[in-house]
């Protein structure tokens, strides 16, 4: 994979009151290069419960490749290729959720808990072009 047709990758995880913040951050870091800064913000849920949001953005090609290499380890990544039409929006953004519990164990799996969002390069910026670029990328993983 010589070039990466992605502008950036955003990763996000919510830590609810019943969860350990260190474990949630560790789960997020499973996908990130070591030197990546993870931002932390505190917010409040609908019922007044405390929610900590961990987020990170990688923009350099080497960092994006690191995230993609981790993503490529998922056993069920082939299902993503079949669902690309539903996962790429009209703004050429691709969305995927990953299993937070698996990430904490150092594994990568499609599931719930971690949000993966990226902007797919497409010239001209059309959804169909973005889907094809994403298809080539994910088939190569």
């Amino acid at each position: 994979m010589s070039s990466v047709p992605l502008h950036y990758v955003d990763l996000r995880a919510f830590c609810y009151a019943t969860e350990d913040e260190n474990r949630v951050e560790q789960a997020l870091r499973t996908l990130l290069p070591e030197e990546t800064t993870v931002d932390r913000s505190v917010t409040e849920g609908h019922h007044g419960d405390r929610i900590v949001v961990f987020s990170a953005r990688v923009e350099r090609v080497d960092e994006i490749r690191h995230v993609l290499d981790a993503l490529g380890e998922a056993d069920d990544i082939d299902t993503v290729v079949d669902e690309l039409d539903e996962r790429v929006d009209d703004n050429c953004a691709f969305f995927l959720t990953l299993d937070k519990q698996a990430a904490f164990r150092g594994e990568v799996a499609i599931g719930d808990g971690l949000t993966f969002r990226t902007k797919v390069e497409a010239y001209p910026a059309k959804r169909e072009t973005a889907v094809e670029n994403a298809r080539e990328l994910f088939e190569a993983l």
Side-chain angles (χ1 to χ4, degrees), residues 26-42:
Q26 182 181 343
L28 187 66
R29 288 191 175 279
T30 297
L31 295 155
L32 295 169
E34 279 187 40
E35 65 279 355
T36 304
T37 302
V38 174
D39 296 323
R40 178 186 182 278
S41 62
V42 179

Side-chain angles (χ1 to χ4, degrees), residues 57-85:
R57 174 177 277 203
V58 292
E59 295 177 320
R60 293 189 344 231
V61 173
D62 291 340
E63 294 172 334
I64 294 172
R65 280 194 186 113
H66 183 279
V67 174
L68 291 173
D69 288 345
L71 193 60
E73 293 175 12
D75 291 337
D76 44 2
I77 197 69
D78 294 335
T79 62
V80 173
V81 175
D82 298 333
E83 301 168 347
L84 282 173
D85 287 332

Side-chain angles (χ1 to χ4, degrees), residues 2 21 29-30 58 78 100 118 127 129:
S2 60
E21 290 183 31
R29 288 191 175 279
T30 297
V58 292
D78 294 335
K100 189 179 354 179
T118 187
R127 183 179 172 282
T129 307

